[in-house]
Amino acid sequence: IDFEFSGMDDPNQDLAYLWVESVSINKELNHYLKQKFKSLDYFNPALFDFWLSYIHVMVLSNPNTRLSESWIKNLEQILG
């Protein structure tokens, strides 16, 4: 077991990372994830949006990021 990133933290952060990893897969999966997230006891829309924004900003601030326009458009669509 790799415990490198384990610890007590906001579970909405994990949901946001899952979302970012799946966002390019397809719209049906994204819709399904959103519905499932809303049914979770610990889901907090404000914290989820915060973590999505944080992840996107971290990706965009990386000089090796390619297709930054698509990341910006992606974030606008999610938060819009």
Side-chain angles (χ1 to χ4, degrees):
I1 299 174
D2 183 1
F3 292 103
E4 180 180 359
F5 296 110
S6 66
M8 297 292 289
D9 207 348
D10 180 9
N12 291 280
Q13 180 181 8
D14 294 330
L15 296 177
Y17 277 110
L18 173 64
W19 181 273
V20 168
E21 290 296 322
S22 67
V23 108
S24 63
I25 297 174
N26 64 46
K27 289 182 181 181
E28 291 81 22
L29 177 59
N30 293 333
H31 179 72
Y32 175 78
L33 285 177
K34 256 189 182 175
Q35 296 308 314
K36 287 296 182 185
F37 290 173
K38 289 178 183 177
S39 68
L40 298 171
D41 291 339
Y42 58 82
F43 178 72
N44 181 315
L47 286 173
F48 180 68
D49 287 348
F50 166 78
W51 286 113
L52 280 176
S53 301
Y54 173 82
I55 294 166
H56 279 75
V57 168
M58 295 310 298
V59 168
L60 289 169
S61 66
N62 183 341
N64 297 324
T65 299
R66 296 184 181 142
L67 304 172
S68 59
E69 297 84 14
S70 65
W71 279 90
I72 294 170
K73 182 179 177 185
N74 184 6
L75 184 60
E76 289 172 348
Q77 288 177 348
I78 292 169
L79 299 179

